[in-house]
Amino acid sequence: LCCQCGVPIPPNPANMCVGCLRAQVDITEGIPKQGTLHFCKQCERYLQPPGTWVQCTLESRELLALCLKKIKASLSRVRLIDAGFIWTEPHSKRLKLKLTVQKEVLNGAVLQQVFVVEYIVQSQMCEDCHRIEAKDFWKAVVQVRQKTQHKKTFYYLEQLILKHRLHQNTLRIKEIHDGLDFYYSSKQQAQKMVDFLQCTVPSRAKSSQRLISHDIHSNVYNYKSTFSVEIVPICKDNVVCLSPKLAQSLGNMSQICVCIRVTSTIHLIDPSTLQIAEIDGNTYWRHPFHSLFHPKQLEEFIIMDINRVQEKKKGAGAGAKSNKHTLAEAWVQKTSELNADHQYFCFTHLGHILNPGDLVLGFDLANCNLNDEFANKMNPHSIPDVVLIKKSYDRSKRQRRRNWKLKELERDREGTDTDDERQYQDFLEDLEEDEAIRKNVNIYRNADIPVESDTDDDGTPRISLAEMLEDLHISEDATGGEGANMMT
């Protein structure tokens, strides 16, 4: 019989029933039943004392460990058997923990008890967010510049930064007319960004620092660092004229070349022989060259006749040829001169996509003044009359059928104009036409535009659904989670 209430019970060391034993002994005594957690709304992180801020979502193991650390000292007197969250309204600023503990009590009897600890989530801004709100509190800035009239390389760079999540540590991103400025709270983060840029685009970097303050007693110096990164002034679809020495070192290719893409190197192709070459940043700065034309100087031509060239004799020491292009000889006429009979003959690397009657964009070298030191010294017979760049499609139709989108960096803009929008559309068209660039970019499906069948395909380059990612929209709440139903 229980020594307290006389109820028959199985024998146990305390000679008491469970009810009387719990009334006599509370094993959770001394364990706090309430606590507080500090949460930063801006960056959605929780404070882990004394000064660390950690990223946790609701119901996560990280958040459970953070809550248990708050009462770790009190739990040392009991044995923790189980711990889990009880569902609370995501906006209630409350977290409830259900704990199961055991402890040996009278005469060796082991008592198990379940209790709830409630945490109140209080808002507190972390130091990093304080610096962001202060706007001007930065320790290092990375100034990325490219001296061109087209921003294709910057649009590509923006997508690389988003894909590798390098924008998370920036205090502020500012866009100016010829580049971007990235502000950081530490020099190490800025150096990491500079290293990334030098690995992804051909560029060169310089650094400097300015003394802000100096404590003579502790010998502590406070500097502001500036990193200047200059990207090579060559963009996709530029026509360039190489120096004779550089052209010879690349396998005796022609001095007049077309830039087909810019990644970590400059990819060039000789439109008259299909010979390709890659130039890295160091080679470019040793033998610099410039674009002969601006993208606005592109002219529209119509293909009057085109013949594929099966095999062309290779020159001495010729380098590798492109397998993705087809060499062709074409007769073209400007669409602005259709009433005249003047036609131009040229070799082109676009033989695989061009047919008679197609519209194509290119540069007219026969009727222009080339203000370039290398082009002026060339034999006039070596300079082609026309260099074709890309096939022309109906832009408005392409925009209507574009069922995908890209994400953008949040940045301070000086102001956008129609020219920026045109350049952005050029970049989107380049993504559709070049699979090699697409591999480095996260492309998201645009659910607002219905998917068209492939039966009405007119040959316009398009991105397949398999290459698109689903754009996730997570409704975030004040406790840093995704607001989903919590499990008890």
Side-chain angles (χ1 to χ4, degrees):
L1 301 178
C2 172
C3 64
Q4 292 286 329
C5 60
V7 174
I9 56 169
N12 63 55
N15 289 329
M16 286 189 197
C17 63
V18 175
C20 294
L21 193 57
R22 282 187 175 155
Q24 292 281 329
V25 182
D26 181 16
I27 63 172
T28 65
E29 188 178 1
I31 301 176
K33 306 300 187 295
Q34 277 195 330
T36 57
L37 286 174
H38 294 287
F39 174 73
C40 178
K41 288 181 181 178
Q42 272 78 3
C43 60
E44 299 180 348
R45 292 186 299 174
Y46 291 89
L47 175 64
Q48 181 176 311
T52 309
W53 291 84
V54 291
Q55 193 93 29
C56 305
T57 55
L58 291 175
E59 288 277 307
S60 64
R61 296 176 62 183
E62 293 82 7
L63 187 57
L64 182 64
L66 185 62
C67 294
L68 290 175
K69 281 180 183 176
K70 289 272 185 182
I71 55 174
K72 184 178 180 181
S74 310
L75 288 174
S76 60
R77 295 192 290 271
V78 295
R79 185 194 303 161
L80 181 64
I81 300 300
D82 189 28
F85 286 102
I86 299 177
W87 187 87
T88 54
E89 183 65 37
H91 298 279
S92 65
K93 299 284 187 81
R94 299 289 186 277
L95 294 174
K96 289 185 178 180
L97 241 64
K98 181 182 178 182
L99 303 179
T100 306
V101 294
Q102 284 183 353
K103 188 178 181 181
E104 192 175 306
V105 290
L106 307 170
N107 300 324
V110 177
L111 189 63
Q112 181 170 306
Q113 197 166 335
V114 179
F115 65 104
V116 174
V117 180
E118 182 178 351
Y119 289 93
I120 300 171
V121 180
Q122 294 185 348
S123 297
Q124 179 180 328
M125 191 180 284
C126 65
E127 291 181 8
D128 294 338
C129 292
H130 264 299
R131 291 171 179 167
I132 296 171
E133 290 298 314
K135 295 291 184 188
D136 59 347
F137 192 94
W138 53 272
K139 289 286 185 67
V141 61
V142 179
Q143 299 172 337
V144 188
R145 300 288 183 267
Q146 187 183 31
K147 296 171 182 174
T148 58
Q149 292 192 353
H150 205 290
K151 297 181 179 178
K152 279 185 183 179
T153 308
F154 276 109
Y155 290 131
Y156 173 66
L157 200 57
E158 177 184 26
Q159 296 305 318
L160 285 177
I161 291 170
L162 283 167
K163 182 170 184 174
H164 295 281
R165 306 172 72 85
L166 279 169
H167 61 292
Q168 289 186 322
N169 295 325
T170 53
L171 302 179
R172 180 188 178 201
I173 302 174
K174 184 179 179 183
E175 180 179 338
I176 59 173
H177 68 282
D178 62 346
L180 291 169
D181 288 349
F182 297 88
Y183 293 90
Y184 293 92
S185 58
S186 70
K187 186 179 178 181
Q188 289 77 15
Q189 292 172 345
Q191 184 66 56
K192 185 178 177 182
M193 182 66 169
V194 172
D195 294 342
F196 172 78
L197 292 173
Q198 291 189 305
C199 291
T200 51
V201 287
S203 58
R204 60 179 175 183
K206 291 187 290 186
S207 64
S208 63
Q209 56 186 16
R210 181 162 56 98
L211 182 64
I212 304 301
S213 60
H214 172 213
D215 187 350
I216 58 173
H217 300 291
S218 59
N219 208 28
V220 173
Y221 293 83
N222 184 17
Y223 288 103
K224 275 192 175 181
S225 303
T226 301
F227 295 88
S228 175
V229 180
E230 184 182 356
I231 302 174
V232 296
I234 304 295
C235 292
K236 185 181 185 296
D237 297 338
N238 281 167
V239 176
V240 299
C241 184
L242 308 178
S243 65
K245 186 176 180 182
L246 179 59
Q248 186 181 8
S249 67
L250 295 175
N252 283 334
M253 67 191 300
S254 171
Q255 287 182 245
I256 303 290
C257 296
V258 178
C259 176
I260 50 176
R261 77 177 66 91
V262 178
T263 53
S264 56
T265 56
I266 303 170
H267 297 256
L268 298 177
I269 188 168
D270 182 353
S272 60
T273 61
L274 291 191
Q275 193 172 327
I276 53 174
E278 293 183 17
I279 298 176
D280 59 4
N282 292 332
T283 307
Y284 176 84
W285 297 117
R286 285 200 304 270
H287 306 282
F289 50 88
H290 304 284
S291 174
L292 298 179
F293 297 94
H294 302 306
K296 292 180 181 178
Q297 294 173 290
L298 276 170
E299 296 186 68
E300 194 173 55
F301 295 85
I302 186 167
I303 302 291
M304 307 306 289
D305 189 22
I306 187 166
N307 295 313
R308 274 69 174 175
V309 178
Q310 297 302 324
E311 193 66 41
K312 195 172 182 182
K313 188 179 177 183
K314 285 178 99 176
K321 284 190 175 183
S322 172
N323 297 323
K324 295 183 179 179
H325 299 85
T326 303
L327 185 63
E329 50 187 18
W331 286 95
V332 298
Q333 188 173 4
K334 288 186 184 179
T335 53
S336 59
E337 298 176 354
L338 286 179
N339 54 352
D341 293 333
H342 187 55
Q343 295 184 6
Y344 301 92
F345 174 79
C346 65
F347 283 98
T348 177
H349 60 292
L350 303 174
H352 56 298
I353 57 173
L354 294 181
N355 294 299
D358 285 346
L359 295 177
V360 63
L361 297 175
F363 293 111
D364 180 7
L365 279 75
N367 303 312
C368 69
N369 292 322
L370 293 178
N371 187 16
D372 185 85
E373 58 173 323
F374 303 128
N376 293 336
K377 295 176 184 177
M378 283 181 66
N379 184 349
H381 299 292
S382 304
I383 300 177
D385 291 342
V386 172
V387 176
L388 302 182
I389 300 298
K390 59 182 178 180
K391 190 175 177 180
S392 179
Y393 300 96
D394 185 359
R395 170 166 281 189
S396 59
K397 188 175 181 181
R398 288 181 80 167
Q399 286 181 256
R400 284 197 308 271
R401 295 172 61 175
R402 190 170 289 142
N403 59 341
W404 53 275
K405 58 185 177 179
L406 301 175
K407 292 191 174 179
E408 294 186 20
L409 287 173
E410 292 182 13
R411 56 187 185 269
D412 303 337
R413 299 175 185 265
E414 286 187 343
T416 57
D417 52 18
T418 54
D419 193 41
D420 286 351
E421 180 60 30
R422 183 186 64 81
Q423 293 180 14
Y424 189 64
Q425 291 300 326
D426 286 346
F427 172 68
L428 297 183
E429 290 174 6
D430 289 344
L431 282 180
E432 289 175 333
E433 294 166 10
D434 195 341
E435 187 181 351
I437 297 180
R438 281 206 299 271
K439 291 178 181 176
N440 300 326
V441 175
N442 282 345
I443 297 169
Y444 296 91
R445 213 181 131 217
N446 191 354
D448 301 334
I449 299 176
V451 179
E452 294 186 17
S453 64
D454 293 334
T455 55
D456 57 350
D457 192 10
D458 56 356
T460 307
R462 298 171 70 180
I463 296 178
S464 64
L465 281 172
E467 296 178 81
M468 300 181 197
L469 302 171
E470 289 292 338
D471 192 9
L472 297 177
H473 294 285
I474 297 174
S475 55
E476 297 175 353
D477 53 54
T479 49
E482 47 192 44
N485 292 334
M486 293 190 189
M487 297 186 296
T488 56

